[in-house]
Amino acid sequence: MTISIADLLLYAGALLVLFLTPGPVWVALVARTLSGGFQAAWPLALGVVVGDVLWPLLAILGVSWIVSVYADFMLVLKWIAVLTFILMGVAVIRSADKTIASDSRLTRPGMWAAFLAGLAVILGNPKAVLFYMGMLPGFFDLTILTWIDIAAICFLSFLVPLIGNLVLAASIGRARALLTSPTALRRTNLTAGFLLIGVGLIIPFT
């Protein structure tokens, strides 16, 4: 292993700062939690993990042709994310008066949809792209890294944001559980629906 514990701790601190900077992932996570609670949000956090591992791995490998090909693929994913969030937002708004139990799409089928949404939003997130592809070489000498180093960097790259995202979703989910009146439920669902649509409309400009 060529990198020190101090280097990894510094990198983990930078990842924490990255997480604390609100972006599309935050908005998507809040919207999913408001619409379906923690159960609807944690698959999105797992989808984000894939991108959080992929971006530093691509940065470390430094293969320019992969990046150029992937950029086109990322553009396709961005538009898929736009449609995904807008459709989810419209669906939540249309069922604003329904209880969570009466809308099984927010539990079973929605888990896979949430995972794909998390994947799309992190792969199309310019903040993540800039950090991993632009700033990662500033933390480590990428030319001398061993596979153990790469594994450690990728592990931290998903662990710190994953813990943060799950804590955020759990906190919002607990607060959401207090909203039991039909009026509060309707307002919550309407807010979640408009947030989801907002993510879909913002993604093309990010």
Side-chain angles (χ1 to χ4, degrees), residues 96 176 178-191:
R176 175 183 173 279
L178 300 176
L179 303 175
T180 56
S181 71
T183 300
L185 178 63
R186 175 178 172 79
R187 289 175 181 171
T188 299
N189 284 334
L190 288 175
T191 300

Side-chain angles (χ1 to χ4, degrees), residues 10 24 27 42 61 84 86 97 102-104 123 125 127 137 143 155 168 174 195:
L10 180 62
V27 178
W42 68 261
L61 294 178
T84 298
I86 289 178
D97 294 317
S102 66
D103 190 356
S104 62
L123 294 183
N125 185 355
K127 183 178 66 175
T143 62
F155 179 74
L168 177 62
R174 180 168 297 182
L195 281 173

